[in-house]
Amino acid sequence: MTTIKDTAEEWEVRATETPFVGNKTSVRTDDVVMPGGSVVRRDYQVHPGSVAVLALDDQGRVLVLKQYRHPVRHKLWEIPAGLLDIPGENPLHAAQRELYEEAHVKAEDWRVLTDVYTTPGGCSEAVRIFLARDLSEAEGERFEVEDEEADMELARVPLGDLVRGVLAGELHNNCLVVGVLALTAAQAGDGLEALRPAEAPWPARPFEV
């Protein structure tokens, strides 16, 4: 029986250059040796990684926010998410920070929902999506938002409505789509208590517990 599991592998790189370096990401060009011996050029975005939070309240609603995304010229409904700005940062701590900053919410119960590569053909971004439950209003002052985040809308939407929106082609954000469908599958399968613990190993972005 074939084991369906992704495996780490690294093909030989004959040459590499970084033609563009941005504020958070860069573009790299590698000359990669193919199995037949030929060498091909591959361009891709180098990304520090991200975390996202599917925050589920006690009424079965998911905390979502609507934010303008310039590359796709859309306002998208999303779940709270953000970059791993600090190399080696514990992703759970980053997720807790994002939930506080974007929604002024804290959660007592955290689990790993799933891990994904968002665009593996053109970007190295890895995202860990957490499930957060037992929600409450965070203490202290609200985080001061700017730029696109200054125009955000917040809502709590029943999980079933989000699933219908995904399947109808009305919701497109990667982390929202993956998160709500993974949560639905977990609920229908072994249950939420069977999900991995919040600080489960993450080979794509190793961290210190």
Side-chain angles (χ1 to χ4, degrees), residues 159-170:
L159 177 63
D161 290 352
L162 294 176
V163 172
R164 284 190 288 274
V166 168
L167 298 180
E170 297 168 351

Side-chain angles (χ1 to χ4, degrees), residues 19-138:
F20 171 80
V21 177
N23 185 32
K24 297 292 185 180
T25 66
S26 60
V27 173
R28 183 176 297 165
T29 298
D30 289 344
D31 292 341
V32 186
V33 181
M34 296 288 107
S38 62
V39 178
V40 301
R41 179 155 287 192
R42 292 289 179 259
D43 303 314
Y44 59 99
Q45 182 184 22
V46 179
H47 195 287
S50 307
V51 292
V53 185
L54 195 150
L56 184 68
D57 69 15
D58 56 8
Q59 297 179 49
R61 301 175 303 176
V62 176
L63 194 157
V64 292
L65 48 92
K66 196 174 190 181
Q67 184 171 343
Y68 177 66
R69 294 300 188 183
H70 186 69
V72 295
R73 308 301 200 270
H74 269 71
K75 274 191 171 182
L76 300 178
W77 283 105
E78 307 178 351
I79 57 177
L83 297 176
L84 289 169
D85 293 320
I86 305 168
E89 181 180 16
N90 187 315
L92 174 60
H93 299 164
Q96 291 170 333
R97 181 183 67 241
E98 292 300 330
L99 184 61
Y100 166 75
E101 291 181 356
E102 295 192 349
H104 202 66
V105 167
K106 63 180 181 178
E108 299 302 322
D109 187 289
W110 290 82
R111 295 175 187 273
V112 174
L113 189 53
T114 190
D115 300 322
V116 295
Y117 290 115
T118 54
T119 319
C123 180
S124 67
E125 182 181 18
V127 180
R128 169 156 280 189
I129 304 177
F130 289 91
L131 172 65
R133 294 180 293 170
D134 194 2
L135 309 180
S136 61
E137 189 81 4

